[in-house]
Amino acid sequence: GAVVSQHPSRVICKSGTSVKIECRSLDFQATTMFWYRQFPKQSLMLMATSNEGSKATYEQGVEKDKFLINHASLTLSTLTVTSAHPEDSSFYICSASQGPIDQPQHFGDGTRLSIL
Amino acid sequence: KNQVEQSPQSLIILEGKNCTLQCNYTVSPFSNLRWYKQDTGRGPVSLTIMTFSENTKSNGRYTATLDADTKQSSLHITASQLSDSASYICVVSATNAGKSTFGDGTTLTVKP
């Protein structure tokens, strides 16, 4: 079935560092990729939606200059947390879809980001 | 405003017992409803997906039902196992929206 690989699974770094997270669809072409943030014991919060070859659409309250999203190919999207601070520490999850919203979303296994 | 409400927020059951999780939604116009299982520290995994015309869909010991008239769905887990301990998330999509609406999830704990 559809597999989404997210890398790295865990990152620990110093405050002020920029961190890049990759999301790859391994066996299908992902027209749309989604990036989520999840705090402990809470559900997923959509950060942005990206379509291949176009700029990402960010949800209200999400800083686009802070969370840079690139979706340059049908199998790869990246999220870069720029100048990360402790409050950016969270669980980040990507998902990929082959088409419009009625197509299933396939999730990666998430990235645990810890900023010291 | 599109909303998805899940109940209960958390549930503890003994191994081998059955349980039912609820999902009520106000998403319109309705496209599909999905149930996901999320283990701690992992990404969600799809259990079922139902469209407007489907009332019931099963995936092993998981059976989802959908009542599009009352805008309610349930996820029934039969003969629970310890590995069923996880968060179960209901996600509803509208036909005219570019994103889905997530419920807050139900945390299920299965005890031996």
Side-chain angles (χ1 to χ4, degrees):
Chain A
V3 178
V4 174
S5 174
Q6 192 171 336
H7 179 80
S9 59
R10 186 174 181 90
V11 180
I12 302 173
C13 57
K14 294 181 179 180
S15 184
T17 306
S18 291
V19 179
K20 178 184 283 189
I21 302 170
E22 292 189 349
C23 181
R24 294 181 184 271
S25 56
L26 298 185
D27 52 0
F28 68 99
Q29 292 187 326
T31 307
T32 306
M33 286 188 171
F34 304 86
W35 286 96
Y36 298 86
R37 184 173 181 175
Q38 187 175 34
F39 293 104
K41 299 188 185 299
Q42 295 186 22
S43 192
L44 286 73
M45 292 172 43
L46 181 64
M47 297 175 65
T49 303
S50 72
N51 293 298
E52 185 266 339
S54 59
K55 289 184 178 181
T57 301
Y58 289 81
E59 294 300 298
Q60 189 173 7
V62 178
E63 300 176 59
K64 61 180 181 181
D65 295 330
K66 174 76 170 177
F67 300 99
L68 301 179
I69 292 173
N70 183 281
H71 191 169
S73 77
L74 285 172
T75 59
L76 173 65
S77 177
T78 61
L79 167 67
T80 301
V81 183
T82 62
S83 186
H85 290 93
E87 59 266 28
D88 297 323
S89 298
S90 189
F91 191 53
Y92 293 87
I93 306 176
C94 74
S95 72
S97 172
Q98 291 176 270
I101 196 61
D102 58 346
Q103 295 297 311
Q105 289 185 45
H106 306 285
F107 287 85
D109 260 346
T111 296
R112 173 73 59 193
L113 176 62
S114 300
I115 307 298
L116 305 178
Chain B
K1 180 181 177 182
N2 290 336
Q3 288 185 315
V4 175
E5 293 184 357
Q6 291 187 243
S7 63
Q9 185 176 24
S10 62
L11 182 63
I12 301 174
I13 62 174
L14 293 177
E15 186 179 12
K17 297 296 185 181
N18 303 335
C19 68
T20 300
L21 314 180
Q22 299 290 342
C23 173
N24 296 339
Y25 62 92
T26 59
V27 176
S28 182
F30 177 84
S31 174
N32 64 72
L33 184 148
R34 289 162 273 160
W35 283 94
Y36 288 90
K37 177 188 179 188
Q38 185 179 22
D39 292 316
T40 301
R42 304 292 298 274
V45 174
S46 180
L47 295 175
T48 62
I49 177 170
M50 288 187 292
T51 57
F52 185 86
S53 60
E54 296 175 296
N55 300 121
T56 303
K57 184 163 281 189
S58 293
N59 178 0
R61 295 179 296 103
Y62 301 101
T63 299
T65 64
L66 174 65
D67 186 333
D69 292 330
T70 61
K71 299 186 177 180
Q72 295 178 328
S73 176
S74 66
L75 180 69
H76 187 72
I77 304 175
T78 304
S80 61
Q81 301 176 357
L82 298 180
S83 59
D84 292 331
S85 296
S87 178
Y88 291 84
I89 304 171
C90 175
V91 182
V92 185
S93 299
T95 55
N96 60 356
K99 58 185 178 182
S100 304
T101 303
F102 283 67
D104 283 340
T106 292
T107 301
L108 174 66
T109 302
V110 180
K111 292 193 171 183

